[in-house]
Amino acid sequence: ARASTPPRPSPMAQEGVVPGPAGDIPVRIFRPEGRARALFLHLHGGGWVIGAPVMNDLANEHLAKRHGLAVVSVDYRLAPEHPYPAGPDDCEAAARWLLEKGPAEFGAERMFIGGESAGGHLTLATGLRVRDRVHAADRLLGLNLVFGVYDLNGTPSWDDNGDRPDMLSAEGMRFMVECFTPGMDAAARRAPDVSPLYAKLAGLPPCLVSVGGVDHLLDDSLFLAPRLAAAGVDVDLTVYPDSPHGFMALPTKMAAAFAQRLDGWIDRRLGTAGL
């Protein structure tokens, strides 16, 4: 693996746990000053096999400071030691906890869910579980879907991103999918809880869909956005030119444009909800 600078932890982050199906789930919590305007469940990336909430500390700190959100980032179980459905089950458990405890713990009832890459997949899957299993879609303010993977059998861009530099590859994606869903055939991987592109999408909250133009996962977002729109979901899609997977962490104008767009979308969602 390529060496990289470790993420800088935020001094604002508090460590906690929430109850899960296999024991307590570690979380990182960011509390705004005073009563939270809303809740934000964050699900980190890393191909379901690596990664941790600290990766997104600075962005989650920004959500708390700029928007007054109470952010809970979930350290869900990782594959291959804990394959599907362990990670999604942990994310669902954290969503249930935040919806139940949010009013007393943070002073807010309504919730965003958001994540990057595999976290984008888990965000959509968790939103669907909140709709179908928790029956609390009315308490979701929006889903922030950042260069997520939505069809685990692969989309055309997995194999052809125009031969542009990207941290992902088709081989790497298929390796991570096999770790997450070991032994599943293509039909099993089309199950909506595994590949949410195949889910019935009506009744989801507004979705912000973001992806780079040279990301190997470009087509996952391009296929998802019109399916959301056709299901009557308010969807906002932007493709960032010349941007690879993970671009929002790079010091580029496209990353700055993404950050500005996300802030504006959250402001609009809070304003629409009267929060």
Side-chain angles (χ1 to χ4, degrees):
R2 185 183 62 172
S4 61
T5 304
R8 180 165 67 87
S10 164
M12 189 177 180
Q14 303 172 353
E15 295 186 353
V17 295
V18 302
D24 285 345
I25 305 166
V27 294
R28 288 177 75 78
I29 301 170
F30 298 78
R31 296 176 182 269
E33 288 189 14
R35 178 178 174 272
R37 297 175 71 196
L39 312 166
F40 194 109
L41 184 73
H42 173 255
L43 308 174
H44 70 79
W48 311 283
V49 299
I50 59 173
V54 70
M55 293 165 45
N56 220 61
D57 261 17
L58 297 187
N60 288 337
E61 177 185 295
H62 174 81
L63 292 175
K65 289 182 174 179
R66 165 71 170 74
H67 298 287
L69 303 179
V71 185
V72 173
S73 188
V74 185
D75 196 0
Y76 54 86
R77 287 172 290 166
L78 298 174
E81 294 82 1
H82 304 285
Y84 173 87
D89 285 352
D90 285 355
C91 295
E92 179 190 344
R96 287 178 179 271
W97 178 87
L98 193 51
L99 288 169
E100 179 184 347
K101 302 296 185 183
E105 184 73 19
F106 304 108
E109 295 186 354
R110 301 189 67 187
M111 180 173 76
F112 292 97
I113 310 175
E116 307 78 32
S117 194
H121 164 271
L122 292 167
T123 292
L124 184 53
T126 303
L128 290 163
R129 287 182 177 212
V130 168
R131 183 194 69 184
D132 297 340
R133 301 185 186 187
V134 189
H135 307 294
D138 59 318
R139 293 184 54 194
L140 294 178
L141 285 166
L143 305 181
N144 181 36
L145 302 164
V146 187
F147 42 74
V149 48
Y150 308 116
D151 183 352
L152 271 63
N153 286 316
T155 57
S157 58
W158 283 32
D159 291 297
D160 181 13
N161 79 325
D163 294 321
R164 298 288 298 277
D166 189 36
M167 66 189 295
L168 292 183
S169 68
E171 297 77 17
M173 281 302 305
R174 291 189 169 92
F175 170 78
M176 290 183 285
V177 166
E178 184 58 34
C179 288
F180 180 55
T181 56
M184 281 193 187
D185 62 15
R189 288 187 177 128
R190 278 194 292 273
D193 193 54
V194 178
S195 290
L197 181 68
Y198 294 90
K200 294 181 179 179
L201 301 171
L204 288 175
C207 293
L208 183 68
V209 181
S210 308
V211 69
V214 298
D215 191 328
H216 278 85
L217 299 182
L218 170 64
D219 285 342
D220 287 67
S221 290
L222 295 186
F223 293 177
L224 175 66
R227 288 213 70 232
L228 287 165
V233 177
D234 179 344
V235 58
D236 184 343
L237 165 71
T238 295
V239 178
Y240 291 84
D242 300 319
S243 296
H245 195 71
F247 76 92
M248 91 296 191
L250 302 174
T252 66
K253 290 182 178 179
M254 290 297 101
F258 165 82
Q260 184 176 26
R261 179 167 166 264
L262 176 58
D263 280 340
W265 180 75
I266 292 174
D267 283 340
R268 289 192 298 277
R269 293 302 308 135
L270 294 172
T272 300
L275 301 173

